[in-house]
Amino acid sequence: MTTAHDTNAQFEQALAMCRSTFVAKLGDYGPSWRIMRPEAITDQLFIKAKRIRTLQVKGVSAVGEGILPEFVGIVNYGLIGIIQLRLGYADSKDISTERAIELYDALATEAKTLMMAKNTDYDEAWRGMRVLSYVDLILAKIERTKEIEDNKGMTKVSEGIDANYFDMVNYAVFGIIKLTEDAAGQ
């Protein structure tokens, strides 16, 4: 069995891959996502997760892009969603690229801390799961998030939107780890 230390290193590697994409896109577009309302981000997460599921079911990609980049997109949009929840959306790009990266890094650290705590409690159960399960769990979290959004953020006993976004991020990182392990033949 892989140790928690290995999980920590793998999680860091997966996050570094996601961060690299995030920073590259910031170079192209800046923090243009600041105009997105949380509901639009949830819909973007839905598109990414639905595409992964479609690729898993059909086994072919019409546009030549695979599953891994979609998991990266889920991580990045999940962290963007949390930024938007905390800052509120804006009518224009109101933060610098540097500030966007600072916020991203802080939330990536929060996601990792949460994952490590849950991973201790669940004894690395995610390693015995299939990648398709991560996708289905992400889709279920998206449906929950849509319900909470439709109820104006109100819940009676459930965690809020931010907790669902964090879970989506962590499931997507698990997907990245599993896919990169499989590609490396581990």
Side-chain angles (χ1 to χ4, degrees):
M1 176 176 247
T2 305
T3 65
H5 178 72
D6 292 332
T7 297
N8 186 44
Q10 288 176 303
F11 203 88
E12 287 287 336
Q13 288 172 337
L15 282 175
M17 178 190 308
C18 297
R19 185 183 191 276
S20 176
T21 298
F22 180 79
V23 170
K25 289 194 177 212
L26 276 175
D28 288 343
Y29 313 124
S32 57
W33 44 263
R34 285 290 294 134
I35 67 167
M36 294 177 75
R37 291 171 283 181
E39 296 87 352
I41 293 168
T42 301
D43 286 344
Q44 188 64 34
L45 287 160
F46 172 75
I47 290 167
K48 300 284 182 192
K50 184 68 173 169
R51 182 162 188 276
I52 294 171
R53 188 170 172 155
T54 300
L55 291 172
Q56 289 172 329
V57 170
K58 291 183 177 179
V60 297
S61 169
V63 295
E65 293 178 358
I67 292 171
L68 187 62
E70 300 300 345
F71 274 127
V72 170
I74 290 170
V75 170
N76 289 343
Y77 275 109
L79 294 174
I80 286 169
I82 299 164
I83 292 169
Q84 296 298 81
L85 288 172
R86 293 190 179 173
L87 297 184
Y89 64 90
D91 289 328
S92 63
K93 296 185 286 186
D94 65 341
I95 61 174
S96 67
T97 297
E98 294 76 20
R99 179 68 179 140
I101 294 169
E102 287 171 12
L103 292 165
Y104 180 96
D105 288 343
L107 291 172
T109 298
E110 271 189 62
K112 183 180 147 205
T113 300
L114 176 64
M115 181 281 301
M116 294 303 286
K118 286 185 174 186
N119 202 36
T120 298
D121 287 352
Y122 289 97
D123 197 25
E124 302 233 327
W126 67 272
R127 290 193 180 274
M129 295 170 64
R130 297 174 185 101
V131 173
L132 69 84
S133 293
Y134 307 138
V135 177
D136 289 357
L137 288 165
I138 291 167
L139 285 165
K141 293 285 182 179
I142 290 166
E143 289 303 314
R144 292 177 187 176
T145 300
K146 286 180 179 183
E147 288 292 324
I148 296 168
E149 289 168 345
D150 290 347
N151 291 324
K152 308 293 185 229
M154 304 304 296
T155 61
K156 293 179 182 172
V157 296
S158 302
E159 296 176 305
I161 295 169
D162 59 340
N164 283 289
Y165 280 159
F166 273 120
D167 286 346
M168 289 180 229
V169 166
N170 286 335
Y171 284 130
V173 170
F174 292 156
I176 292 167
I177 293 169
K178 283 277 201 148
L179 290 172
T180 55
E181 278 179 342
D182 290 349
Q186 297 177 346

mmCIF file of all heavy atoms in Angstrom, residues 21 64 68 80 89 97 103 108 114 137 140-141 167:
data_model
loop_
_atom_site.group_PDB
_atom_site.id
_atom_site.type_symbol
_atom_site.label_atom_id
_atom_site.label_comp_id
_atom_site.label_asym_id
_atom_site.label_seq_id
_atom_site.Cartn_x
_atom_site.Cartn_y
_atom_site.Cartn_z
ATOM 1 N N THR A 21 -1.215 24.938 -15.582
ATOM 2 C CA THR A 21 -2.265 25.271 -16.551
ATOM 3 C C THR A 21 -2.952 26.575 -16.161
ATOM 4 O O THR A 21 -3.205 27.433 -17.014
ATOM 5 C CB THR A 21 -3.287 24.122 -16.636
ATOM 6 O OG1 THR A 21 -2.608 22.945 -17.090
ATOM 7 C CG2 THR A 21 -4.430 24.459 -17.582
ATOM 8 N N GLY A 64 -10.114 15.089 -29.820
ATOM 9 C CA GLY A 64 -8.744 14.646 -29.594
ATOM 10 C C GLY A 64 -8.153 14.985 -28.249
ATOM 11 O O GLY A 64 -6.945 14.856 -28.056
ATOM 12 N N LEU A 68 -7.607 13.511 -18.757
ATOM 13 C CA LEU A 68 -6.715 14.202 -17.827
ATOM 14 C C LEU A 68 -6.879 15.728 -17.851
ATOM 15 O O LEU A 68 -7.017 16.345 -16.792
ATOM 16 C CB LEU A 68 -5.260 13.794 -18.082
ATOM 17 C CG LEU A 68 -4.224 14.311 -17.092
ATOM 18 C CD1 LEU A 68 -4.478 13.789 -15.692
ATOM 19 C CD2 LEU A 68 -2.827 13.927 -17.552
ATOM 20 N N ILE A 80 -11.297 28.279 -8.510
ATOM 21 C CA ILE A 80 -11.852 29.572 -8.946
ATOM 22 C C ILE A 80 -13.222 29.789 -8.294
ATOM 23 O O ILE A 80 -13.536 30.892 -7.837
ATOM 24 C CB ILE A 80 -11.962 29.627 -10.488
ATOM 25 C CG1 ILE A 80 -10.576 29.797 -11.108
ATOM 26 C CG2 ILE A 80 -12.903 30.745 -10.939
ATOM 27 C CD1 ILE A 80 -10.539 29.587 -12.623
ATOM 28 N N TYR A 89 -18.357 37.919 -7.120
ATOM 29 C CA TYR A 89 -17.966 38.129 -8.513
ATOM 30 C C TYR A 89 -17.848 39.620 -8.777
ATOM 31 O O TYR A 89 -18.323 40.457 -8.014
ATOM 32 C CB TYR A 89 -18.932 37.440 -9.479
ATOM 33 C CG TYR A 89 -20.339 37.978 -9.457
ATOM 34 C CD1 TYR A 89 -20.714 39.019 -10.291
ATOM 35 C CD2 TYR A 89 -21.298 37.436 -8.601
ATOM 36 C CE1 TYR A 89 -22.009 39.524 -10.263
ATOM 37 C CE2 TYR A 89 -22.589 37.926 -8.580
ATOM 38 C CZ TYR A 89 -22.931 38.967 -9.414
ATOM 39 O OH TYR A 89 -24.217 39.465 -9.382
ATOM 40 N N THR A 97 -2.947 39.398 -11.865
ATOM 41 C CA THR A 97 -2.557 38.008 -12.082
ATOM 42 C C THR A 97 -1.845 37.474 -10.847
ATOM 43 O O THR A 97 -2.095 36.342 -10.415
ATOM 44 C CB THR A 97 -1.652 37.908 -13.328
ATOM 45 O OG1 THR A 97 -2.417 38.327 -14.463
ATOM 46 C CG2 THR A 97 -1.129 36.515 -13.542
ATOM 47 N N LEU A 103 -4.231 33.720 -4.357
ATOM 48 C CA LEU A 103 -5.497 33.144 -3.912
ATOM 49 C C LEU A 103 -5.580 31.662 -4.281
ATOM 50 O O LEU A 103 -5.982 30.825 -3.462
ATOM 51 C CB LEU A 103 -6.676 33.917 -4.503
ATOM 52 C CG LEU A 103 -6.859 35.340 -4.004
ATOM 53 C CD1 LEU A 103 -7.802 36.120 -4.923
ATOM 54 C CD2 LEU A 103 -7.369 35.353 -2.566
ATOM 55 N N ALA A 108 -5.454 25.982 -2.809
ATOM 56 C CA ALA A 108 -4.887 24.666 -3.104
ATOM 57 C C ALA A 108 -4.314 24.052 -1.823
ATOM 58 O O ALA A 108 -4.486 22.852 -1.573
ATOM 59 C CB ALA A 108 -3.821 24.772 -4.187
ATOM 60 N N LEU A 114 -7.362 19.565 3.748
ATOM 61 C CA LEU A 114 -8.621 18.836 3.906
ATOM 62 C C LEU A 114 -8.469 17.400 3.429
ATOM 63 O O LEU A 114 -8.902 16.453 4.102
ATOM 64 C CB LEU A 114 -9.727 19.542 3.117
ATOM 65 C CG LEU A 114 -11.094 18.850 3.087
ATOM 66 C CD1 LEU A 114 -11.699 18.791 4.483
ATOM 67 C CD2 LEU A 114 -12.020 19.572 2.120
ATOM 68 N N LEU A 137 -19.046 10.904 -8.469
ATOM 69 C CA LEU A 137 -19.128 11.674 -7.221
ATOM 70 C C LEU A 137 -19.066 13.175 -7.489
ATOM 71 O O LEU A 137 -19.776 13.957 -6.856
ATOM 72 C CB LEU A 137 -18.020 11.246 -6.256
ATOM 73 C CG LEU A 137 -18.231 9.869 -5.624
ATOM 74 C CD1 LEU A 137 -16.939 9.367 -4.981
ATOM 75 C CD2 LEU A 137 -19.360 9.914 -4.599
ATOM 76 N N ALA A 140 -22.413 14.182 -8.755
ATOM 77 C CA ALA A 140 -23.366 14.254 -7.642
ATOM 78 C C ALA A 140 -23.148 15.528 -6.828
ATOM 79 O O ALA A 140 -24.119 16.199 -6.433
ATOM 80 C CB ALA A 140 -23.235 13.024 -6.747
ATOM 81 N N LYS A 141 -21.890 15.897 -6.607
ATOM 82 C CA LYS A 141 -21.586 17.140 -5.878
ATOM 83 C C LYS A 141 -22.080 18.353 -6.663
ATOM 84 O O LYS A 141 -22.548 19.329 -6.083
ATOM 85 C CB LYS A 141 -20.079 17.257 -5.611
ATOM 86 C CG LYS A 141 -19.521 16.234 -4.661
ATOM 87 C CD LYS A 141 -19.883 16.545 -3.246
ATOM 88 C CE LYS A 141 -19.284 15.544 -2.280
ATOM 89 N NZ LYS A 141 -19.628 15.869 -0.900
ATOM 90 N N ASP A 167 -14.538 19.284 -2.270
ATOM 91 C CA ASP A 167 -14.627 17.847 -2.544
ATOM 92 C C ASP A 167 -14.415 17.557 -4.028
ATOM 93 O O ASP A 167 -13.727 16.599 -4.389
ATOM 94 C CB ASP A 167 -15.970 17.281 -2.080
ATOM 95 C CG ASP A 167 -16.068 17.140 -0.566
ATOM 96 O OD1 ASP A 167 -15.030 17.216 0.123
ATOM 97 O OD2 ASP A 167 -17.195 16.939 -0.081
#
